[in-house]
Amino acid sequence: MTIEFWSLQRLNEITKKGEGVRLEFKKKANFPDKIAKELVAFANTQGGILLLGVDDDGTVSGTRDIEGEVFVLEQAIDSLIWPRLNYSLQILKLNEKKGVAVLQVEKGDKLPLQLRDSPDTRAGKVYVRVGEQSLQASKEMREILRRRVKAKDTQFTFGEKERKLMELLENNSAITLTEYAKAANLSKFMASRTLIKLVLSNVVEIQPEEGQDLYFRK
């Protein structure tokens, strides 16, 4: 990955933008598993930057023993994230006692990355970044992430299921899986397969949501 070098000036400039789809602030590593969740979400979406030692409002206040905080966080990264997270790390000292750590995360090569339930298993949860939030990915989103890595368009036959979906999207700005299954008189399994196929075919776009994902016509 390309390693970028940070200055305090650059740090102050970027924190003024506030948190977003590619930027997250954390004051300390008190809950390293929660920070690992944000890193997983970055890797599964567009990549991103996590600033450790920055307040929620963007104040670059630093944190004491920044090296110790980073040690705790890197232990969580190594034990809880699978496959391996690709990131770079830089520590900026504000004074003798306080500093800020900059973790730059690249989009994963092998998707989806997961936050393990425990260090002893590969089973875990998948997260994606939506605005300032890291949301748990649905079954559909996980499958889309997995198959998109192949960078190959999906071919499909335009049949009655697909026609009904396009008709629904002509009359609605967005629909959910449940709404599509009900309107098209399909099982949720079949509706899910159809939506995944059309997202991978670049006909439909998915927007992860806390309740149910939304699907739009591209």
Side-chain angles (χ1 to χ4, degrees), residues 196-210:
I196 290 170
K197 182 171 60 177
L198 291 179
V199 170
L200 292 170
S201 302
N202 293 312
V203 175
V204 171
E205 187 172 349
I206 183 173
Q207 178 179 305
E209 293 287 343
E210 193 125 20

Side-chain angles (χ1 to χ4, degrees), residues 121-197:
T121 177
R122 287 184 177 179
K125 297 180 176 65
V126 173
Y127 294 90
V128 290
R129 192 76 175 173
V130 182
E132 300 174 15
Q133 294 182 295
S134 295
L135 303 180
Q136 187 173 339
S138 64
K139 178 184 69 176
E140 289 74 29
M141 191 70 230
R142 290 174 70 131
E143 180 69 8
I144 289 164
L145 287 171
R146 185 183 69 80
R147 292 171 60 181
R148 267 181 176 165
V149 175
K150 299 176 183 177
K152 186 177 180 180
D153 287 343
T154 300
Q155 303 298 318
F156 69 95
T157 303
F158 198 89
E160 183 59 27
K161 298 187 301 296
E162 292 76 17
R163 186 197 64 76
K164 184 61 178 179
L165 177 61
M166 292 298 101
E167 179 184 299
L168 289 167
L169 290 176
E170 284 287 343
N171 299 315
N172 300 275
S173 58
I175 61 167
T176 65
L177 167 63
T178 300
E179 289 168 342
Y180 171 47
K182 183 177 180 181
N185 196 26
L186 296 171
S187 67
K188 284 194 174 182
F189 173 75
M190 187 57 68
S192 173
R193 287 186 59 184
T194 304
L195 287 167
I196 290 170
K197 182 171 60 177

Side-chain angles (χ1 to χ4, degrees), residues 101-128:
V102 181
L103 283 87
Q104 291 183 261
V105 177
E106 289 211 337
K107 185 172 181 178
D109 296 323
K110 296 180 180 179
L111 298 180
L113 271 74
Q114 300 180 57
L115 183 66
R116 289 173 170 172
D117 296 329
S118 75
D120 302 322
T121 177
R122 287 184 177 179
K125 297 180 176 65
V126 173
Y127 294 90
V128 290

Side-chain angles (χ1 to χ4, degrees), residues 44-155:
N44 283 331
T45 311
Q46 302 174 24
I49 298 166
L50 185 133
L51 301 177
L52 185 61
V54 174
D55 299 336
D56 288 342
D57 64 0
T59 302
V60 184
S61 56
T63 191
R64 290 178 181 273
D65 186 21
I66 188 63
E67 292 84 359
E69 297 283 328
V70 166
F71 176 76
V72 169
L73 179 54
E74 290 200 297
Q75 281 192 314
I77 291 172
D78 290 341
S79 63
L80 295 179
I81 297 177
W82 185 86
R84 183 177 178 275
L85 183 74
N86 192 11
Y87 71 97
S88 66
L89 170 70
Q90 183 179 346
I91 293 176
L92 297 173
K93 299 293 284 188
L94 303 183
N95 52 48
E96 290 183 2
K97 295 181 178 180
K98 290 186 175 184
V100 173
V102 181
L103 283 87
Q104 291 183 261
V105 177
E106 289 211 337
K107 185 172 181 178
D109 296 323
K110 296 180 180 179
L111 298 180
L113 271 74
Q114 300 180 57
L115 183 66
R116 289 173 170 172
D117 296 329
S118 75
D120 302 322
T121 177
R122 287 184 177 179
K125 297 180 176 65
V126 173
Y127 294 90
V128 290
R129 192 76 175 173
V130 182
E132 300 174 15
Q133 294 182 295
S134 295
L135 303 180
Q136 187 173 339
S138 64
K139 178 184 69 176
E140 289 74 29
M141 191 70 230
R142 290 174 70 131
E143 180 69 8
I144 289 164
L145 287 171
R146 185 183 69 80
R147 292 171 60 181
R148 267 181 176 165
V149 175
K150 299 176 183 177
K152 186 177 180 180
D153 287 343
T154 300
Q155 303 298 318

